[in-house]
Amino acid sequence: MKSKILIVDDEQDVELLFRQKFRKEIKSGMLELCFAFSGDQALKILGSEDPPQVVYVFSDINMPGMSGLELLEKIKGRFPQINVSMISAYGDSQNYEKAMNSGAKEFFTKPIDFESLKKEIGGMIQDN
């Protein structure tokens, strides 16, 4: 069964990086990646399917407009079944605490440790 993951980051070069790091999983049909470059775009993608096919969201915290933490609260309010992990260039405890208290499953700092990310996704895929 293919798992659909949404990556939300205002830096568009992140898409190429994720596609490169997960090319085996994508090619094998285990994983489908989709991308949003703002919180509003992410909510449109999630709201376009009922129920959403996305099972996991990875969101940057620092984005113009809606922050990742605001997006996290909206996703958890509308789609509580979707796991959300946060990504930040700053591993500060304030963002970490707010993310975890708002329902984030995990918190990653940039540069992203893709081995840890793959373990997180692998555990989620097995749970579905």
mmCIF file with all atom_site columns, all heavy atoms in Angstrom, residues 93-104:
data_model
loop_
_atom_site.group_PDB
_atom_site.id
_atom_site.type_symbol
_atom_site.label_atom_id
_atom_site.label_alt_id
_atom_site.label_comp_id
_atom_site.label_asym_id
_atom_site.label_entity_id
_atom_site.label_seq_id
_atom_site.pdbx_PDB_ins_code
_atom_site.Cartn_x
_atom_site.Cartn_y
_atom_site.Cartn_z
_atom_site.occupancy
_atom_site.B_iso_or_equiv
_atom_site.pdbx_formal_charge
_atom_site.auth_seq_id
_atom_site.auth_comp_id
_atom_site.auth_asym_id
_atom_site.auth_atom_id
_atom_site.pdbx_PDB_model_num
ATOM 1  N N   . SER A 1 93  ? 14.409 25.305 22.200 1.00 0.00 ? 93  SER A N   1
ATOM 2  C CA  . SER A 1 93  ? 13.471 24.564 23.047 1.00 0.00 ? 93  SER A CA  1
ATOM 3  C C   . SER A 1 93  ? 12.068 25.159 23.011 1.00 0.00 ? 93  SER A C   1
ATOM 4  O O   . SER A 1 93  ? 11.091 24.434 23.160 1.00 0.00 ? 93  SER A O   1
ATOM 5  C CB  . SER A 1 93  ? 13.985 24.506 24.484 1.00 0.00 ? 93  SER A CB  1
ATOM 6  O OG  . SER A 1 93  ? 14.175 25.802 24.995 1.00 0.00 ? 93  SER A OG  1
ATOM 7  N N   . GLN A 1 94  ? 11.950 26.457 22.750 1.00 0.00 ? 94  GLN A N   1
ATOM 8  C CA  . GLN A 1 94  ? 10.622 27.082 22.721 1.00 0.00 ? 94  GLN A CA  1
ATOM 9  C C   . GLN A 1 94  ? 9.788  26.519 21.564 1.00 0.00 ? 94  GLN A C   1
ATOM 10 O O   . GLN A 1 94  ? 8.635  26.132 21.769 1.00 0.00 ? 94  GLN A O   1
ATOM 11 C CB  . GLN A 1 94  ? 10.773 28.594 22.590 1.00 0.00 ? 94  GLN A CB  1
ATOM 12 C CG  . GLN A 1 94  ? 9.467  29.337 22.746 1.00 0.00 ? 94  GLN A CG  1
ATOM 13 C CD  . GLN A 1 94  ? 9.670  30.847 22.682 1.00 0.00 ? 94  GLN A CD  1
ATOM 14 O OE1 . GLN A 1 94  ? 10.782 31.342 22.506 1.00 0.00 ? 94  GLN A OE1 1
ATOM 15 N NE2 . GLN A 1 94  ? 8.585  31.577 22.822 1.00 0.00 ? 94  GLN A NE2 1
ATOM 16 N N   . ASN A 1 95  ? 10.368 26.459 20.359 1.00 0.00 ? 95  ASN A N   1
ATOM 17 C CA  . ASN A 1 95  ? 9.646  25.883 19.216 1.00 0.00 ? 95  ASN A CA  1
ATOM 18 C C   . ASN A 1 95  ? 9.380  24.403 19.439 1.00 0.00 ? 95  ASN A C   1
ATOM 19 O O   . ASN A 1 95  ? 8.303  23.899 19.116 1.00 0.00 ? 95  ASN A O   1
ATOM 20 C CB  . ASN A 1 95  ? 10.427 26.070 17.914 1.00 0.00 ? 95  ASN A CB  1
ATOM 21 C CG  . ASN A 1 95  ? 10.169 27.414 17.277 1.00 0.00 ? 95  ASN A CG  1
ATOM 22 O OD1 . ASN A 1 95  ? 9.169  28.060 17.536 1.00 0.00 ? 95  ASN A OD1 1
ATOM 23 N ND2 . ASN A 1 95  ? 11.101 27.851 16.452 1.00 0.00 ? 95  ASN A ND2 1
ATOM 24 N N   . TYR A 1 96  ? 10.357 23.694 19.985 1.00 0.00 ? 96  TYR A N   1
ATOM 25 C CA  . TYR A 1 96  ? 10.202 22.258 20.250 1.00 0.00 ? 96  TYR A CA  1
ATOM 26 C C   . TYR A 1 96  ? 9.017  22.030 21.191 1.00 0.00 ? 96  TYR A C   1
ATOM 27 O O   . TYR A 1 96  ? 8.142  21.222 20.901 1.00 0.00 ? 96  TYR A O   1
ATOM 28 C CB  . TYR A 1 96  ? 11.489 21.684 20.847 1.00 0.00 ? 96  TYR A CB  1
ATOM 29 C CG  . TYR A 1 96  ? 11.341 20.245 21.272 1.00 0.00 ? 96  TYR A CG  1
ATOM 30 C CD1 . TYR A 1 96  ? 11.480 19.217 20.339 1.00 0.00 ? 96  TYR A CD1 1
ATOM 31 C CD2 . TYR A 1 96  ? 11.029 19.910 22.583 1.00 0.00 ? 96  TYR A CD2 1
ATOM 32 C CE1 . TYR A 1 96  ? 11.321 17.892 20.713 1.00 0.00 ? 96  TYR A CE1 1
ATOM 33 C CE2 . TYR A 1 96  ? 10.874 18.587 22.964 1.00 0.00 ? 96  TYR A CE2 1
ATOM 34 C CZ  . TYR A 1 96  ? 11.024 17.583 22.032 1.00 0.00 ? 96  TYR A CZ  1
ATOM 35 O OH  . TYR A 1 96  ? 10.858 16.271 22.404 1.00 0.00 ? 96  TYR A OH  1
ATOM 36 N N   . GLU A 1 97  ? 9.010  22.744 22.305 1.00 0.00 ? 97  GLU A N   1
ATOM 37 C CA  . GLU A 1 97  ? 7.928  22.571 23.302 1.00 0.00 ? 97  GLU A CA  1
ATOM 38 C C   . GLU A 1 97  ? 6.561  22.913 22.705 1.00 0.00 ? 97  GLU A C   1
ATOM 39 O O   . GLU A 1 97  ? 5.596  22.177 22.898 1.00 0.00 ? 97  GLU A O   1
ATOM 40 C CB  . GLU A 1 97  ? 8.171  23.480 24.520 1.00 0.00 ? 97  GLU A CB  1
ATOM 41 C CG  . GLU A 1 97  ? 9.512  23.270 25.148 1.00 0.00 ? 97  GLU A CG  1
ATOM 42 C CD  . GLU A 1 97  ? 9.451  22.626 26.501 1.00 0.00 ? 97  GLU A CD  1
ATOM 43 O OE1 . GLU A 1 97  ? 8.409  22.693 27.168 1.00 0.00 ? 97  GLU A OE1 1
ATOM 44 O OE2 . GLU A 1 97  ? 10.466 22.030 26.885 1.00 0.00 ? 97  GLU A OE2 1
ATOM 45 N N   . LYS A 1 98  ? 6.498  24.019 21.981 1.00 0.00 ? 98  LYS A N   1
ATOM 46 C CA  . LYS A 1 98  ? 5.214  24.424 21.395 1.00 0.00 ? 98  LYS A CA  1
ATOM 47 C C   . LYS A 1 98  ? 4.743  23.380 20.389 1.00 0.00 ? 98  LYS A C   1
ATOM 48 O O   . LYS A 1 98  ? 3.567  23.021 20.361 1.00 0.00 ? 98  LYS A O   1
ATOM 49 C CB  . LYS A 1 98  ? 5.345  25.801 20.735 1.00 0.00 ? 98  LYS A CB  1
ATOM 50 C CG  . LYS A 1 98  ? 4.002  26.311 20.276 1.00 0.00 ? 98  LYS A CG  1
ATOM 51 C CD  . LYS A 1 98  ? 3.968  27.801 20.103 1.00 0.00 ? 98  LYS A CD  1
ATOM 52 C CE  . LYS A 1 98  ? 2.523  28.160 19.842 1.00 0.00 ? 98  LYS A CE  1
ATOM 53 N NZ  . LYS A 1 98  ? 2.236  29.389 19.326 1.00 0.00 ? 98  LYS A NZ  1
ATOM 54 N N   . ALA A 1 99  ? 5.668  22.878 19.558 1.00 0.00 ? 99  ALA A N   1
ATOM 55 C CA  . ALA A 1 99  ? 5.297  21.867 18.564 1.00 0.00 ? 99  ALA A CA  1
ATOM 56 C C   . ALA A 1 99  ? 4.790  20.595 19.238 1.00 0.00 ? 99  ALA A C   1
ATOM 57 O O   . ALA A 1 99  ? 3.736  20.067 18.870 1.00 0.00 ? 99  ALA A O   1
ATOM 58 C CB  . ALA A 1 99  ? 6.499  21.553 17.668 1.00 0.00 ? 99  ALA A CB  1
ATOM 59 N N   . MET A 1 100 ? 5.512  20.110 20.219 1.00 0.00 ? 100 MET A N   1
ATOM 60 C CA  . MET A 1 100 ? 5.130  18.858 20.880 1.00 0.00 ? 100 MET A CA  1
ATOM 61 C C   . MET A 1 100 ? 3.818  19.030 21.657 1.00 0.00 ? 100 MET A C   1
ATOM 62 O O   . MET A 1 100 ? 2.965  18.144 21.637 1.00 0.00 ? 100 MET A O   1
ATOM 63 C CB  . MET A 1 100 ? 6.252  18.366 21.804 1.00 0.00 ? 100 MET A CB  1
ATOM 64 C CG  . MET A 1 100 ? 7.560  18.077 21.048 1.00 0.00 ? 100 MET A CG  1
ATOM 65 S SD  . MET A 1 100 ? 7.392  17.161 19.514 1.00 0.00 ? 100 MET A SD  1
ATOM 66 C CE  . MET A 1 100 ? 7.486  15.492 20.096 1.00 0.00 ? 100 MET A CE  1
ATOM 67 N N   . ASN A 1 101 ? 3.646  20.174 22.295 1.00 0.00 ? 101 ASN A N   1
ATOM 68 C CA  . ASN A 1 101 ? 2.405  20.438 23.038 1.00 0.00 ? 101 ASN A CA  1
ATOM 69 C C   . ASN A 1 101 ? 1.207  20.603 22.103 1.00 0.00 ? 101 ASN A C   1
ATOM 70 O O   . ASN A 1 101 ? 0.067  20.413 22.525 1.00 0.00 ? 101 ASN A O   1
ATOM 71 C CB  . ASN A 1 101 ? 2.550  21.681 23.922 1.00 0.00 ? 101 ASN A CB  1
ATOM 72 C CG  . ASN A 1 101 ? 3.480  21.429 25.104 1.00 0.00 ? 101 ASN A CG  1
ATOM 73 O OD1 . ASN A 1 101 ? 3.690  20.288 25.516 1.00 0.00 ? 101 ASN A OD1 1
ATOM 74 N ND2 . ASN A 1 101 ? 4.054  22.494 25.632 1.00 0.00 ? 101 ASN A ND2 1
ATOM 75 N N   . SER A 1 102 ? 1.463  20.962 20.846 1.00 0.00 ? 102 SER A N   1
ATOM 76 C CA  . SER A 1 102 ? 0.377  21.142 19.871 1.00 0.00 ? 102 SER A CA  1
ATOM 77 C C   . SER A 1 102 ? 0.070  19.861 19.103 1.00 0.00 ? 102 SER A C   1
ATOM 78 O O   . SER A 1 102 ? -0.750 19.867 18.201 1.00 0.00 ? 102 SER A O   1
ATOM 79 C CB  . SER A 1 102 ? 0.743  22.253 18.880 1.00 0.00 ? 102 SER A CB  1
ATOM 80 O OG  . SER A 1 102 ? 0.881  23.474 19.555 1.00 0.00 ? 102 SER A OG  1
ATOM 81 N N   . GLY A 1 103 ? 0.767  18.780 19.438 1.00 0.00 ? 103 GLY A N   1
ATOM 82 C CA  . GLY A 1 103 ? 0.435  17.495 18.827 1.00 0.00 ? 103 GLY A CA  1
ATOM 83 C C   . GLY A 1 103 ? 1.415  16.989 17.785 1.00 0.00 ? 103 GLY A C   1
ATOM 84 O O   . GLY A 1 103 ? 1.126  16.012 17.096 1.00 0.00 ? 103 GLY A O   1
ATOM 85 N N   . ALA A 1 104 ? 2.587  17.631 17.656 1.00 0.00 ? 104 ALA A N   1
ATOM 86 C CA  . ALA A 1 104 ? 3.582  17.132 16.696 1.00 0.00 ? 104 ALA A CA  1
ATOM 87 C C   . ALA A 1 104 ? 4.062  15.754 17.130 1.00 0.00 ? 104 ALA A C   1
ATOM 88 O O   . ALA A 1 104 ? 4.212  15.482 18.318 1.00 0.00 ? 104 ALA A O   1
ATOM 89 C CB  . ALA A 1 104 ? 4.762  18.088 16.594 1.00 0.00 ? 104 ALA A CB  1
#
